[in-house]
Structures are given as structure tokens and as C-alpha cells.
């Protein structure tokens, strides 16, 4: 068990190394020049050259990479070229919490809505309710999130004035105000996942409800709610956790659009503006954080299986 | 030969530029005196209210000497002052003293500025002649080099006469001077705190310290820039607001929704496509006029096929500007005939449409030039475009069918903005379109973009007569003579169709009706000095 976990962690390190080299290299290969962007349209060759050497961009690729990697591991992430922002503060202390709040809020919301909806669909299989939830799920998957976001803003924030249009308040500082600001963006981001979780729950539960031990429970005379919610729903945990781990990429991708529409200062907005501005170091920090998050969550998913399924606890 | 009275010429020129009131006041002591005296006001302003304004575009740095964006200047201008500032009375753009209390001209190359007494930077250090010298030198020869250094290239000597008097000697008469010494668009004349520059070095752009009505508080990336009132500001009774927040946003439609719901009080930039919605909303006031810019279709004169003058002329006459304005600019822009734009008060020709100068849509003429072109077959040309600016790719899509009319097949290539910049700078295109936003003077409108070896002459049009005319105009102080030189230069550019000029664009700002006292200036400025909120 421990050995297995260590192996996973070693694997993770290799993956991170590959990711860092690839993202560093790809950005250099992309056309466009941070210095030209920094200097705008008004600059001379001298200012170009002096800035280039000041930023170390005249060094060979490997030197630039090694420089960056050594500093990065020590937590010294550098300053952004143009705005001179301290990247560690900007990316890790300011942007990451916003994205984590948004992502976790959406995920919790999606589970709280998706699982009951899926369970009900499974119990009421092939009824109007089931068909309705299928339509809802299909719409949720197909509806572009940025459009949904804008529609929600116009209806709930501008017309009804129920929620704020935009902005972020840290739930650590003001919990309820933070949640209040998260409702519209959370709803926007979670539609896709609500749909997915509903369908997954329904499919899994229908299968589970045909298992012999469910029949046994019913034969024991346990009430229907207990059969479904205790014996049945428990079995959803495994596939649900697996799929959420795999779909984390989609979630993080979704935060980019959601953050832009609702003007949340998270990793998504940071990455977008950094890529457009060729802020190599900021992009690099963003990619690394996202990669660590993605790999870390999947590592946790792997490690969580024995807890979710007792059959996996006895190692062979 | 009668000697030329430079002082008189310059005085006349300046009187045309500065408001009448200012000149009358100035006739006594120096040539010019600011309307208000320099002594700090004893009556402290009572500040109240917190304004929140969405800033839609990129803020690169708050260092006035290094920024490349007017969106940054919008904020910088509330923190800093220049030696001079831009003023606008609804008709004329003038350049008025700001930190300078008076401006005396010893001869056409020597300028003496007397500074306001008692002005302090936000860090408490005095804004005196030393500070002005420091700032000007920082622009002119600082390391790293300021992108605005060229604006002070002719500045030969800076002499501190006394703590509040500074004498600037130029190597030539310098007609661009009022713009260069400006704190707003000119940037080179913005005065920064020497102590703060020494303290923060390259990070001054995140810790700006000026003399302006607002002090810098904080800048959170992709979130907001916070300012608070400077209670010791030198203009009596100002500022009126207690706090100002510039909310940094990427998505203009979200900003508009936030404005409509009352979450913010204004937008530093309202893209043309949203103007209809703002006009229909009763609780918002729209500000915007045609500003100092021109938009054009650029052609690559360095290589085939547009090294052919007749083909370029054909393109210039084939563009239906009415349609372009309607379809690409949402009917909001104004047709342009030449680059010089309306807010350049003394240089724009109000009768340009009937003057016969420049170019407009004339398909017959276009076809006759096309018939003279060397290549009579169908020509395929790469039109490079990017999602950039308010009109994005709309211009290219509107122009392409017009080019087809004269047998030019434009291959539209959509590239990402950074690639666009790189390819433009390397002259790797046949066509591209762009909007040149100029400091409010014809020099910066024409010369650096079209002089033969100009750094921004991406199309590579070369005409040495044009270079000579612009060089002469730079040192010509008589406005009428200078105007005549620029008209000749423009005519050369238009005749040889170095570019095909399309339109002058309006730039819009919008505020909630709660916001009062905003003074619009057609230089993309958001000065909050006189703004209050109900």
C-alpha cells in the first residue's frame, strides 16, 4: 500500500517535469515576442535590446529553463515582465484561491443537485420525470457556459437585481458574502457537471438496483428509502470519484470562461492575459499550478479507492 | 532682409493654442500664467464618495514614462501631473500649464518654466525644479530607455535657475513641445517623485508617487487598482471624491451589466458595439467624440504586388468608406480623407470633405488605376487580421468584397494578437488594417509612421520629399505655415497611396447619472479631478 503510494508520487514528479519542459518550450516556439508587446508600438531598438538582456531572454533555451526551474522549486517564481507583479503572490496567493473556491463550490453544488436528481431518475425510470431530467441533462451538457453566464447575469443580476453581476469576495474573510458572490458563477460552471453526474448516477443506480443484495435487502423487509439511499447510492461513490478526477480538466477549463464572464481574478483570467501578453513566467506558474492540481487530485482519487470500496483494502 | 521676430511668432502660435483667458492673464509677468495661483489652498476640500469604474483594457504599468497604453494613462493621469495638461472647451483642444505656473519664452529655443510653489508629492517630498529636471532626464536618457525618449531628443540643456524656476534649451525650435511636455498623452512631461523612483527602481510602475489629486493605494492583478484622495492637492477644492477604484475587467458586456445593475459607476471605455444599449438606458450618460486617430488599410510597399503604385491607388479609391463606417464601425465613426484628425484643432481642415484633398470612394477611378497596374491578372493577397480593438476582424470582412471589385482576391488570415504584432513589425503581410492613435499633433500622426526609415513604417512607403516636409514642419512655429507643410506631406502620402485611410473613430466613456462633473477631453482621458458622486 505504502509502496504503491510512493510509486504514484514518483510518477507524479516525472509527469510534472515533462509538463514543465513542454510548456516552457511550446511558449517559446509560439510566435510573438513579449518585449514587443511590453514596449507597445513606440520603442527603439536600444530599448528593445536592453530589455531583452535585462529579462534574460537573450540566453539559450536550456539556460533559461534551468534558471527558471531552480528558482521555481525554491518558491522564487520571479516577477512578471510588464506589470512587475510578484508572481508567487499573484498566482499562488491571489489567483489560485479564487479558482479553487469557484471549482469546489461548483463541484459541491453539482453533487448536491446531480446525485438526488440521478437517484430520482433511476427510481422513476422511464417515467415523465426521467425523460424530463434526461432533457435537462442533455441541455446542460450542450449549453455553452459563457452564454449561460451572460443570460444568468442579465436575468438575475440586472433585471431582478438578486445577485451581484461580478466580483469575488473571499469566503474566508466573509463567508456568506463570498457564497453570495459565487452563486451565479457556480451555477454557470456546474451545469455541465450536474448533467454528467445525473446521468452517471442514474445509470449506475439502475444497474445496482438489479443486484442480488438489493433483492436480499428488500426481502429482509427494509424500507424502500433505506434500500436506495443506503445500500444503493453508496455504490455511486467509486464511479463518481473516478469520473470527477478525470473531468477535473474540463472543470478547470470551464473556470477560464466563467472567470472572464464574472470577472473573477482567478487562474483562468491570469492565464488568458498572460498567454496573450507572452508573460512566459506567469504562464509557466499557471501551468505548473494547474498540473499539480490535476495530478494531485487524481493521485488522491487513486488513493481513495480502498476507502470507498472495502474489497480493495486487502492487498494481495 | 527683415529679421524674424521668433518671440512674436511663438507668442502668436501659443496664444492660438492656449485658451484666450490664460494668455490675457499671462501678458503681464511671463508670457503665460495659470488661471489659479500656486499657493496651496488653505480651504481644504471635503472629499466624499467612492467611485468604481471598470477599466476594460490592459494596464501594463503605472509608470508614466514607460507605459505604451492610453488605458494606463487614464489612471496615471489621476496620480500625476505634467508640466502642461490638455484642456477642452467642447470645441478646441488647448495645452495649458499644470505644474508650471508660467511659461516664458526667451527665444524660440529657450523656455523658462516657473513652478507652482508648495506643491508636494504624495510621499511628502517637494515638487521643485530638481524634481522636474530629474523626471525630464529620466525620460530623455534614463536606463532602461523610456519609449518616449525621442520626444525630448532635441532637449539640449536643463538649467535650474532657482528652486522653482527651470530653463530648458532645445537644439532647434520644437513645434511638438506642448504635446511632449504634457502629462497626459505626451507622457514625457509627467513629473514623478525622485525619492520614489530611487526607492522602488524598476518597480515604480507598481508604486507610483505623483502630485495628482489621487494617491495610489493598491493594485491587485486582474482585480482592481485603488486610489484615494490626496487632501493636499494644489487645485483648490479638488478632488471631490474620497476614493476611486478602477475595476480591471476583460469582458465589456459584463461591465455594462454591472453598470446597469449599479454595481459600478462607469466604464473607461465603452466599445462601439455596446453604445446602442447605453443610449437606451436612462440612468447612464455617454461621453464620446471623434478622437485623435485614423484608421487605415496598410499595404506592403516593399514587395510585390503592392510595390506597384497604381495598384495601391486602385485600392485607395476602391474602398467605400460609407459602407465601412456603417458595417465595421457600427455607424459611429467619421469618414477620413487624410490622417490628421478633428481634435488637432489648428491642423484639421473642417472642410476636408469638399476640399478635394485625400481619397474617397470612386470605383471608376479605382478601375482606371487598376487598368494601369503592371499585373492585369487576378491578384491574390494576404490580408492579416486579428481579434484586436473594438472592430476586430470586421474591417477586413467589409473590405475584402470591395477589393474583389478591382480584381484583388484578399486571403483573410486570422492570427492571434501577439503574432499579428510580430508579423506587422517584420512587414510580413500584403494587407492589414490598424487604427493609429496619435498624440494630439500632426507630427506624431505622420512622421514616425511614414518617414522613410521610421521605426513604425511597417508598410515601407518611401518618399524623401515627405521626410523633408515633416522635418521642416517640426521646427516651424507659425501654425499656418506648419499646417501648410503638413497638408503637402499628407497630399504626397495620399497621392502615392502609402496607405488607404478609412475613418476617424470616436472613443466612448460611460458614467452612471449619479456621477457629476466629468470633463470630457478627446484624448481618451478619464480625469476624476472634478468628478463627484451623488
Amino acid at each position: 500500500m505504502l509502496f504503491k503510494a510512493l510509486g504514484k508520487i514518483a510518477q507524479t514528479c516525472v509527469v510534472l517535469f515533462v509538463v514543465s519542459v513542454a510548456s516552457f518550450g511550446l511558449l517559446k516556439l509560439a510566435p510573438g515576442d513579449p518585449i514587443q508587446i511590453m514596449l507597445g508600438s513606440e520603442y527603439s531598438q536600444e530599448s528593445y535590446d536592453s530589455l531583452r538582456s535585462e529579462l534574460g531572454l537573450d540566453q539559450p533555451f536550456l539556460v533559461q529553463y534551468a534558471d527558471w526551474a531552480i528558482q521555481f522549486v525554491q518558491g522564487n517564481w520571479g516577477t512578471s515582465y510588464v506589470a512587475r507583479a510578484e508572481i508567487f503572490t499573484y498566482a499562488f496567493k491571489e489567483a489560485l484561491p479564487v479558482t479553487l473556491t469557484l471549482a469546489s463550490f461548483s463541484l459541491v453544488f453539482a453533487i448536491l443537485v446531480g446525485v438526488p436528481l440521478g437517484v430520482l431518475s433511476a427510481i422513476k425510470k422511464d417515467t415523465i420525470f426521467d425523460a424530463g431530467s434526461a432533457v435537462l441533462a442533455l441541455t446542460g451538457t450542450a449549453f455553452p457556459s459563457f452564454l449561460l453566464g451572460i443570460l444568468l447575469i442579465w436575468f438575475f443580476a440586472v433585471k431582478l437585481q438578486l445577485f451581484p453581476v461580478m466580483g469575488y469576495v473571499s469566503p474566508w474573510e466573509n463567508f456568506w458574502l463570498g457564497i453570495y458572490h459565487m452563486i451565479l458563477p457556480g451555477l454557470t460552471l456546474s451545469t455541465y457537471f450536474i448533467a454528467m453526474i445525473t446521468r452517471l448516477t442514474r445509470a449506475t443506480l439502475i444497474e445496482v438496483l438489479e443486484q442480488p443484495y438489493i433483492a436480499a435487502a428488500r426481502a429482509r423487509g427494509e424500507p424502500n428509502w433505506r434500500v436506495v439511499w443506503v445500500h444503493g447510492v453508496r455504490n455511486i461513490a467509486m464511479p463518481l470519484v473516478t469520473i470527477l478526477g478525470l473531468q477535473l480538466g474540463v472543470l478547470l477549463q470551464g473556470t477560464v470562461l466563467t472567470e472572464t464572464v464574472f470577472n473573477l481574478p482567478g487562474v483562468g483570467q491570469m492565464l488568458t492575459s498572460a498567454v496573450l501578453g507572452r508573460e512566459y513566467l506567469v504562464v509557466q506558474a499557471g501551468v505548473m499550478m494547474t498540473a499539480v492540481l490535476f495530478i494531485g487530485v487524481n493521485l488522491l482519487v487513486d488513493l481513495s479507492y480502498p476507502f470507498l470500496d472495502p474489497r480493495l483494502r486487502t492487498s494481495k | 532682409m527683415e529679421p524674424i521676430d521668433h518671440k512674436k511668432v511663438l507668442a502668436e502660435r501659443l496664444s492660438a493654442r492656449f485658451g484666450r483667458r490664460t494668455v490675457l492673464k499671462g501678458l503681464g509677468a511671463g508670457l503665460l500664467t495659470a488661471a489659479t495661483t500656486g499657493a496651496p489652498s488653505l480651504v481644504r476640500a471635503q472629499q466624499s464618495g467612492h467611485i468604481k469604474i471598470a477599466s476594460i483594457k490592459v494596464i501594463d504599468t503605472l509608470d508614466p514614462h514607460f507605459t505604451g497604453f492610453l488605458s494606463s494613462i487614464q489612471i496615471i493621469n489621476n496620480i500625476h501631473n505634467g508640466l502642461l495638461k490638455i484642456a477642452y472647451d467642447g470645441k478646441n483642444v488647448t495645452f495649458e500649464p499644470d505644474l508650471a505656473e508660467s511659461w516664458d519664452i526667451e527665444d524660440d529655443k529657450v523656455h523658462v518654466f516657473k513652478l507652482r510653489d508648495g506643491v508636494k508629492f504624495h510621499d511628502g517630498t517637494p515638487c521643485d525644479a530638481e524634481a522636474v529636471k530629474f523626471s525630464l532626464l529620466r525620460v530623455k536618457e534614463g536606463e532602461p530607455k523610456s519609449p518616449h525618449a525621442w520626444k525630448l531628443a532635441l532637449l539640449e540643456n536643463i538649467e535650474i535657475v532657482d528652486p522653482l524656476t527651470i530653463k530648458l534649451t532645445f537644439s532647434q525650435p520644437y513645434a511638438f513641445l506642448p504635446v511632449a511636455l504634457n502629462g497626459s498623452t505626451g507622457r514625457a512631461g509627467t513629473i514623478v517623485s525622485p525619492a520614489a523612483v530611487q526607492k522602488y527602481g524598476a518597480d515604480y510602475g507598481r508604486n507610483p508617487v505623483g502630485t495628482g489629486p489621487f494617491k495610489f493605494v493598491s493594485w491587485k492583478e486582474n482585480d482592481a487598482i485603488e486610489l484615494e484622495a490626496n487632501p493636499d492637492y494644489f487645485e483648490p477644492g479638488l478632488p471631490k471624491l474620497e476614493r476611486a477604484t478602477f475595476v480591471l475587467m476583460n469582458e465589456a458586456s459584463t461591465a455594462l451589466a454591472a453598470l446597469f445593475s449599479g454595481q459600478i459607476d462607469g466604464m473607461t471605455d465603452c466599445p462601439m458595439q455596446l453604445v446602442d444599449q447605453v443610449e437606451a438606458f436612462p440612468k447612464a450618460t455617454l461621453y464620446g467624440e471623434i478622437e485623435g486617430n485614423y484608421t487605415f488599410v496598410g499595404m506592403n510597399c516593399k514587395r510585390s504586388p503592392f510595390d506597384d503604385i497604381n495598384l495601391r491607388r486602385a485600392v485607395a479609391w476602391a474602398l467605400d468608406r460609407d459602407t465601412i463606417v456603417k458595417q465595421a464601425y457600427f455607424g459611429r465613426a467619421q469618414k477620413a480623407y487624410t490622417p490628421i484628425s478633428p481634435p488637432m484643432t489648428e491642423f484639421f481642415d473642417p472642410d476636408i470633405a469638399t476640399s478635394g484633398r485625400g481619397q474617397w470612394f470612386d470605383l471608376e477611378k479605382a478601375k482606371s488605376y487598376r487598368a494601369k497596374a503592371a499585373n492585369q491578372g487576378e491578384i491574390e493577397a494576404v490580408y492579416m487580421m486579428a481579434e484586436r480593438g473594438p472592430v476586430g476582424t470586421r474591417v477586413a470582412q467589409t473590405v475584402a468584397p470591395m477589393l474583389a471589385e478591382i480584381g484583388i482576391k484578399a486571403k483573410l488570415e486570422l492570427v492571434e494578437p501577439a503574432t499579428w504584432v510580430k508579423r506587422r513589425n517584420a512587414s510580413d503581410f500584403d494587407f492589414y488594417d490598424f487604427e493609429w492613435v496619435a498624440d494630439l499633433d500632426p507630427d506624431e500622426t505622420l512622421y514616425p509612421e511614414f518617414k522613410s526609415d521610421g521605426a513604425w513604417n511597417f508598410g515601407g512607403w518611401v518618399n524623401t520629399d515627405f521626410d523633408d516636409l515633416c522635418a521642416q514642419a517640426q521646427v516651424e512655429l507659425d501654425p499656418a505655415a506648419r499646417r501648410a507643410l503638413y497638408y503637402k506631406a499628407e497630399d504626397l502620402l495620399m497621392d502615392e497611396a502609402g496607405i488607404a485611410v478609412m475613418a476617424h473613430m470616436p472613443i466612448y466613456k460611460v458614467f452612471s447619472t449619479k456621477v457629476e462633473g466629468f470633463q470630457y477631453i478627446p484624448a481618451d482621458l478619464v480625469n476624476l479631478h472634478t468628478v463627484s458622486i451623488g
Side-chain angles (χ1 to χ4, degrees), chain A residues 99 102-104 106-107 110 140-146 185-186 188-197 242-259 268 290 293-295 297-298:
Chain A
T99 303
L102 174 64
S104 44
S106 308
L107 217 52
T141 330
F143 212 75
S145 66
F146 63 91
T188 306
L189 185 57
S190 58
T191 36
Y192 174 83
F193 291 90
I194 292 177
M196 199 190 68
I197 292 172
T242 309
I243 202 102
L244 287 182
L246 292 173
Q247 294 280 334
L248 186 71
V250 180
L251 186 72
L252 292 174
Q253 207 179 319
T255 60
V256 176
L257 283 174
T258 313
E259 282 172 13
T290 319
L293 196 65
F294 189 82
I295 297 169
V297 167
N298 277 290

Side-chain angles (χ1 to χ4, degrees), chain B residues 380-399:
Chain B
E380 224 185 53
V382 173
Y383 193 130
M384 175 179 78
M385 56 181 190
E387 286 297 351
R388 169 194 56 79
V391 290
T393 58
R394 299 171 74 97
V395 172
Q397 291 168 33
T398 315
V399 163

Side-chain angles (χ1 to χ4, degrees), chain A:
Chain A
M1 176 73 204
L2 183 69
F3 184 70
K4 229 173 159 181
L6 283 176
K8 288 262 182 222
I9 289 165
Q11 247 179 33
T12 305
C13 292
V14 175
V15 173
L16 283 179
F17 173 71
V18 173
V19 167
S20 74
V21 175
S23 65
F24 202 85
L26 280 176
L27 214 56
K28 299 271 159 177
L29 290 177
D33 183 335
I35 300 170
Q36 278 179 359
I37 293 165
M38 284 164 71
L39 293 174
S41 49
E42 305 177 9
Y43 68 85
S44 61
Q45 191 60 41
E46 291 98 322
S47 40
Y48 182 92
D49 292 339
S50 74
L51 200 58
R52 194 173 147 84
S53 68
E54 192 199 340
L55 299 176
L57 290 172
D58 52 350
Q59 301 284 323
F61 174 78
L62 279 178
V63 176
Q64 284 186 46
Y65 176 78
D67 257 7
W68 168 82
I70 292 165
Q71 299 286 334
F72 189 85
V73 175
Q74 295 171 350
N76 184 1
W77 295 10
T79 32
S80 65
Y81 298 149
V82 182
R84 311 282 310 169
E86 194 52 58
I87 295 174
F88 187 75
T89 312
Y90 171 25
F92 192 76
K93 290 193 193 154
E94 289 174 7
L96 189 63
V98 177
T99 303
L100 287 182
T101 311
L102 174 64
S104 44
F105 184 86
S106 308
L107 217 52
V108 170
F109 190 73
I111 293 171
L112 287 183
V113 177
V115 171
L117 214 59
V119 171
L120 288 178
S121 301
I123 302 171
K124 299 181 189 268
K125 195 176 125 191
D126 300 331
T127 62
I128 285 279
F129 180 86
D130 185 25
S133 100
V135 170
L136 212 69
L138 217 61
T139 319
T141 330
F143 212 75
S145 66
F146 63 91
L147 183 59
L148 179 69
I150 289 170
L151 290 178
L152 288 177
I153 286 180
W154 278 99
F155 191 69
F156 287 106
V158 177
K159 293 280 170 230
L160 300 180
Q161 306 240 337
L162 285 177
F163 297 103
V165 172
M166 51 165 210
Y168 171 76
V169 174
S170 168
W172 308 113
E173 278 161 25
N174 186 336
F175 185 76
W176 291 112
L177 198 64
I179 297 294
Y180 181 53
H181 276 79
M182 271 301 147
I183 291 179
L184 290 188
L187 193 62
T188 306
L189 185 57
S190 58
T191 36
Y192 174 83
F193 291 90
I194 292 177
M196 199 190 68
I197 292 172
T198 306
R199 297 317 282 168
L200 181 78
T201 307
R202 179 186 177 275
T204 316
L205 198 60
I206 286 174
E207 208 176 292
V208 168
L209 290 180
E210 284 164 5
Q211 297 296 315
Y213 62 85
I214 295 290
R218 287 194 201 282
R220 278 199 301 273
E222 289 187 34
N224 195 35
W225 67 266
R226 221 182 118 79
V227 173
V228 174
W229 291 99
V230 177
H231 298 285
V233 173
R234 272 185 180 187
N235 294 281
I236 300 166
M238 275 277 282
L240 188 65
V241 164
T242 309
I243 202 102
L244 287 182
L246 292 173
Q247 294 280 334
L248 186 71
V250 180
L251 186 72
L252 292 174
Q253 207 179 319
T255 60
V256 176
L257 283 174
T258 313
E259 282 172 13
T260 306
V261 171
F262 291 92
N263 205 48
L264 305 172
V267 178
Q269 283 227 60
M270 177 188 94
L271 273 176
T272 322
S273 53
V275 168
L276 290 176
R278 296 291 186 273
E279 281 278 12
Y280 293 153
L281 294 175
V282 179
V283 177
Q284 197 66 14
V287 169
M288 292 309 286
M289 284 190 325
T290 319
V292 170
L293 196 65
F294 189 82
I295 297 169
V297 167
N298 277 290
L299 188 66
L300 285 180
V301 167
D302 278 357
L303 298 178
S304 74
Y305 287 151
F307 298 96
L308 296 175
D309 189 341
R311 285 169 294 183
L312 296 174
R313 280 182 211 162
T314 46
S315 50
K316 285 164 199 169

Side-chain angles (χ1 to χ4, degrees), chain A residues 31-32 36-37 41-43 82-85 90 153-154 157-158 161 164-166 260-261 263 265 269-270 278, chain B residues 60 145 147-148 202-203 206 221-222 247-251 254 257-258 260-261 263-264 416 418-419 422 425 444 456:
Chain A
Q36 278 179 359
I37 293 165
S41 49
E42 305 177 9
Y43 68 85
V82 182
R84 311 282 310 169
Y90 171 25
I153 286 180
W154 278 99
V158 177
Q161 306 240 337
V165 172
M166 51 165 210
T260 306
V261 171
N263 205 48
Q269 283 227 60
M270 177 188 94
R278 296 291 186 273
Chain B
D60 54 350
K145 205 173 166 199
H148 307 289
D203 293 332
R206 291 192 76 82
E221 217 66 39
N222 276 331
V247 184
L248 307 176
M249 301 190 66
N250 288 325
E251 185 54 49
T254 306
F260 286 1
S261 74
Q263 211 183 337
I264 58 169
E416 178 260 351
T419 314
K422 184 153 192 166
N425 292 7
E444 214 253 359
W456 310 327

